[in-house]
Amino acid sequence: MKRHLIIGASGGIGSAVAQALQGDVTRLSRSADGLDITNEDSIAQVLGVLDGTFDTVFVATGSLTAGGHEPEKTIKALTPEAMLAQFQVNAAGPALVLKHALPLIPRDRRCVFAALSARVGSIGDNQIGGWHSYRAAKSALNQLIHGAAIELARTHKQAICVALHPGTVATPFTAKYAGRHTTVPASTAAENLIGVMEGLKPAQSGGFFDYSGAEVPW
């Protein structure tokens, strides 16, 4: 039986992915387990008590309004506090989860480590500006995932480490910001993301993919 680890399992996407996965699913969240991805000691403590290895490690954490800061509409609204809060939640947090999840990644079989990114983190796809802190944090996450994948390939030949864009999902996280974007239910997003993860090959490790499996430009 395959084993799956979901970080951020109390959120809309995380809970939907946990419910849709087949096999033994371990769910971790701040509300249920005290896992604070902005605190490395918390990450180390919660992940450190887990036994064995997992076929999937899925990081579904993230925030558009980290630290209570709204997404900026203009560079004039940029503050160091918002930038640091976004980086801590959306880049450093998932990267530190990967750091402490390394003992949970098998060396003898295929495994997927995936973290939720966002298309707005794509530099090449940015046509309208705005949301500077959030965009920059997700871009940083993409770089961290890419760099970690290079290292991971040296010791875990079948491991796949990727950033995933789920689309605009109808959750409390996006309700205020969806605008004219078409949204999909969390259950549909979960099915899409699981399909992408199941279809990925080790040669694609380090990539950035959307919910259809298409590669997103950096």
Side-chain angles (χ1 to χ4, degrees), residues 2 29 87 96 101 106 127 144 186 199:
K2 289 189 175 182
S29 66
F87 192 92
L96 289 170
Q127 303 297 321
L144 288 161

Side-chain angles (χ1 to χ4, degrees), residues 114-203:
L116 282 185
S117 186
R119 185 177 293 276
V120 295
S122 165
I123 297 173
D125 192 60
N126 184 359
Q127 303 297 321
I128 61 173
W131 288 28
H132 301 291
S133 296
Y134 182 72
R135 287 183 187 273
K138 290 298 188 180
S139 294
L141 172 63
N142 295 343
Q143 179 70 285
L144 288 161
I145 290 292
H146 185 74
I150 294 171
E151 294 183 21
L152 197 59
R154 298 170 185 153
T155 53
H156 299 68
K157 303 299 184 183
Q158 300 180 62
I160 301 164
C161 183
V162 293
L164 297 178
H165 166 60
T168 305
V169 184
T171 69
F173 181 79
T174 60
K176 185 178 176 180
Y177 305 98
R180 298 179 181 178
H181 293 284
T182 301
T183 61
V184 298
S187 57
T188 300
E191 292 174 3
N192 292 338
L193 292 169
I194 290 170
V196 172
M197 288 189 286
E198 289 178 344
L200 290 170
K201 302 187 182 319

Side-chain angles (χ1 to χ4, degrees), residues 51-125:
D51 294 323
T53 56
F54 293 85
D55 299 279
T56 308
V57 180
F58 182 73
V59 184
T61 58
S63 177
L64 273 170
T65 57
H69 302 281
E70 294 289 326
E72 307 94 351
K73 294 182 179 180
T74 169
I75 197 72
K76 295 177 182 179
L78 198 66
T79 66
E81 293 80 12
M83 294 179 68
L84 289 171
Q86 282 290 344
F87 192 92
Q88 190 173 33
V89 172
N90 290 310
L96 289 170
V97 169
L98 175 53
K99 171 185 174 180
H100 291 281
L102 289 175
L104 307 175
I105 297 176
R107 293 174 181 259
D108 59 348
R109 68 181 189 277
R110 181 183 182 276
C111 169
V112 176
F113 179 97
L116 282 185
S117 186
R119 185 177 293 276
V120 295
S122 165
I123 297 173
D125 192 60

